[in-house]
Amino acid sequence: MFQPKIPPMPQPTGPVAPPAVVETTVTPAASTSPPAPVPAAPSRPAVQLTPGTALALVGGGTAVVLVVGAVLVSMLLAVAITAASVAVCAVVLRSLLHRR
């Protein structure tokens, strides 16, 4: 049941020719000159910040910080509300069980 079912290997049906043998000879090439030195690529120019791009970067960074902060605060608030509701339920259950 757990053994893999391997299909049988198909056998050739027609006449089979032996594989052809190819003989090759290697001849040494003429001496080659060393490759020419590659000129160094020009260095990239330094990034120049204009007042507009600097303002855009500051605005984008501020937006990212505000969004991440809002997400983290909302998660903390959700945990705090859940903890408070569990504490209230525990107090109510304790008082109900204590009366009996």
Side-chain angles (χ1 to χ4, degrees), residues 76-88:
L76 180 64
L77 185 62
V79 169
I81 290 173
T82 303
S85 64
V86 167
V88 168

Side-chain angles (χ1 to χ4, degrees), residues 23 47-48 53 55 57 59 62 75 82 90 92:
E23 293 184 18
V47 177
Q48 296 177 355
T53 56
L55 187 61
L57 285 175
T62 304
M75 289 172 62
T82 303
V92 168

